[in-house]
Amino acid sequence: MDQLLHAGRPVVAADSRPPVGLGRFGEYGGRFVPESLVPACEEVERAFAEAWADPLFRAELHQVLSIYVGRPTPLTPVARLSAELGINLLLKREDLTHTGSHKINNVLGQALLARRMGRRRLIAETGAGQHGVATATAGALLGMATTVFMGERDIERQQLNVFRMKMLGAEVVPVTSGSRTLKDACSEAMRHWVTAVEDSYYCLGSAMGPHPYPWMVREFQRVIGDEARTQCAATLRTGTPDFVVACVGGGSNAAGTFAGFVDTPARLVGVEAAGGAAISAGSTGVLHGFRSKVLQDAHGQITEAHSIAPGLDYPGVGPEHAYLADLGRASYVTVDDAEVLAATHRLARTEGILCALESAHAVAWVIRAAGDGTIPPAATVMLTLSGRGDKDMSTLMELS
Ligand SMILES: Cc1ncc(COP(=O)(O)O)c(C=O)c1O
């Protein structure tokens, strides 16, 4: 564990304490926001620290996650695909949560926090629409108005989720600037937050953004890793898996998953989209209020990401992942769109599970790595299946 210590205190997910200083994960993280947002970030930080230390807040979140979201989600051994690959593959089924992805874990935590802070309105950005749907759902559940910013391009490719958000009573604001995807939606949501801090809470959808968001979102998502750790202990002869794998966009499902296994010998693997590989192909820079690995040109201009999966179409990554990569505690790999499509079809045909294109990135890497020996025969692999594929059916229909 020594390598995980920084200034004498753990800064990664080995425990629930906040990162050192202003939300630093090594040289990454921090709070690079306009002056007008500093008090708002400080207020969220204070409120979260208090709430997370309050057993009543924890109990309420636990209750809603169990009776509304359907937690704990199962850990499913996938026998046919495992036999084909010569490994023992287990899926942590976030696709089975209410609203269909892990995003709801974080959103309900933040929405309960917003209510505790006396806020009456939620603001969110969304790419794949899953975070937007989760926020609209929490808004309806808690009686809070909800505004979701979404790039025009994502609105076109995720029409089902746009309709769901509207059905749930949310206002969906199209973002027409830049690449009209997640990065631009995030910029617009932050711009809007500056004008509405008094009554609105910014419910950020991944383990990124200014402190305290990367830490707070990881804490709300660690329920994935904690449950999976217990389930692995009950299922596996060895207690812990050899590999723990999750897809990485901003990095929240991976951060929550890794939090449960960071102090075990398991190899942690984050899978990025080849066209949005901030860790594998990026360099250090600042985006959306935090320092991390970002895709940028020689002049520091952020370059556009591309992925068939709108939730991975982001040119940055949460700061904890950049730090885990530097430490060598987690490794980050990429897969391309063609491998993702093949993996989506293969999982559907062998196991009867239609997963989200984002989650299929993790499946695609496991298929490749089992094939080339990176994952040795008979190894155990715990993979977080972050979401279900309903939202991607129109994309898949077009491509078929
Ligand atoms: C199903 C699903 N998985 C993964 C992601 C990527 O987000 P993160 O890296 O924060 O888990 C998204 C983002 O929209 C998603 O919808």
Side-chain angles (χ1 to χ4, degrees):
M1 287 298 292
D2 275 0
Q3 85 227 44
L4 300 181
L5 299 183
H6 177 74
R9 283 180 37 209
V11 293
V12 290
D15 71 19
S16 291
R17 281 181 290 176
V20 182
L22 251 186
R24 297 286 181 179
F25 298 87
E27 63 168 299
Y28 309 108
R31 184 184 282 155
F32 298 84
V33 291
E35 233 168 83
S36 49
L37 279 186
V38 170
C41 289
E42 285 173 349
E43 193 190 356
V44 175
E45 180 186 355
R46 258 193 321 274
F48 173 66
E50 273 171 34
W52 212 224
D54 178 353
L56 288 177
F57 180 83
R58 295 256 195 158
E60 187 177 15
L61 179 59
H62 181 81
Q63 168 88 343
V64 78
L65 288 177
S66 99
I67 62 173
Y68 187 71
V69 172
R71 303 208 71 89
T73 56
L75 185 70
T76 307
V78 287
R80 282 182 8 101
L81 185 56
S82 291
E84 284 185 13
L85 299 177
I87 61 172
N88 181 13
L89 177 60
L90 305 146
L91 302 181
K92 179 64 176 157
R93 302 292 305 280
E94 295 304 294
D95 59 314
L96 294 180
T97 56
H98 177 49
T99 71
S101 85
H102 67 294
K103 297 285 180 188
I104 192 79
N105 306 324
N106 165 48
V107 162
L108 283 171
Q110 289 198 54
L112 289 177
L113 184 69
R115 193 183 63 181
R116 185 177 160 113
M117 291 168 70
R119 297 297 193 273
R120 296 142 65 103
R121 178 163 169 262
L122 299 172
I123 305 168
E125 82 297 331
T126 197
Q130 288 301 114
H131 176 61
V133 167
T135 310
T137 300
L141 181 70
L142 301 183
M144 299 169 89
T146 305
T147 305
V148 181
F149 293 85
M150 188 169 189
E152 248 185 358
R153 179 147 183 270
D154 290 334
I155 288 182
E156 280 156 29
R157 47 181 182 166
Q158 297 293 332
Q159 287 177 19
L160 177 67
N161 274 347
V162 175
F163 189 68
R164 287 169 84 194
M165 286 184 260
K166 290 182 177 167
M167 283 282 293
L168 291 159
E171 178 195 12
V172 180
V173 180
V175 176
T176 55
S177 53
S179 55
R180 299 175 296 130
T181 57
L182 181 55
K183 163 175 77 67
D184 313 288
C186 200
S187 305
E188 205 50 47
M190 290 186 100
R191 259 197 291 276
H192 181 74
W193 190 30
V194 175
T195 66
V197 276
E198 292 308 318
D199 70 334
S200 301
Y201 177 92
Y202 182 24
C203 182
L204 217 163
S206 193
M208 47 174 257
H211 181 57
Y213 285 96
W215 164 52
M216 174 169 69
V217 176
R218 180 248 280 163
E219 287 305 293
F220 285 140
Q221 291 292 7
R222 73 182 302 137
V223 64
I224 304 173
D226 288 346
E227 281 177 14
R229 172 93 176 252
T230 308
Q231 290 165 323
C232 283
T235 313
L236 298 176
R237 198 175 33 81
T238 47
T240 49
D242 299 311
F243 289 80
V244 170
V245 186
C247 69
V248 176
S252 67
N253 87 90
T257 302
F258 292 175
F261 294 93
V262 74
D263 61 343
T264 75
R267 278 186 59 183
L268 310 179
V269 181
V271 187
E272 299 186 289
I279 295 189
S280 307
S283 51
T284 303
V286 172
L287 175 65
H288 293 143
F290 65 108
R291 189 201 306 278
S292 187
K293 296 292 185 198
V294 297
L295 298 177
Q296 57 189 334
D297 64 18
H299 307 288
Q301 292 295 324
I302 300 299
T303 54
E304 283 182 14
H306 163 75
S307 168
I308 192 173
L312 305 189
D313 213 344
Y314 183 68
V317 66
E320 185 165 6
H321 291 294
Y323 186 48
L324 286 171
D326 278 6
L327 291 175
R329 179 62 193 94
S331 39
Y332 294 83
V333 294
T334 63
V335 294
D336 64 28
D337 288 355
E339 290 176 288
V340 169
L341 281 173
T344 308
H345 285 287
R346 191 155 174 194
L347 184 66
R349 294 286 173 95
T350 51
E351 299 296 340
I353 298 172
L354 278 166
C355 70
L357 289 171
E358 289 80 7
S359 324
H361 282 67
V363 180
W365 180 77
V366 168
I367 291 172
R368 190 211 293 160
D372 68 16
T374 307
I375 300 178
T380 49
V381 179
M382 202 302 290
L383 182 156
T384 294
L385 203 70
S386 55
R388 70 177 84 125
D390 309 27
K391 70 183 179 58
D392 298 315
M393 286 307 126
S394 56
T395 304
L396 290 166
M397 277 158 76
E398 265 170 41
L399 292 171
S400 297

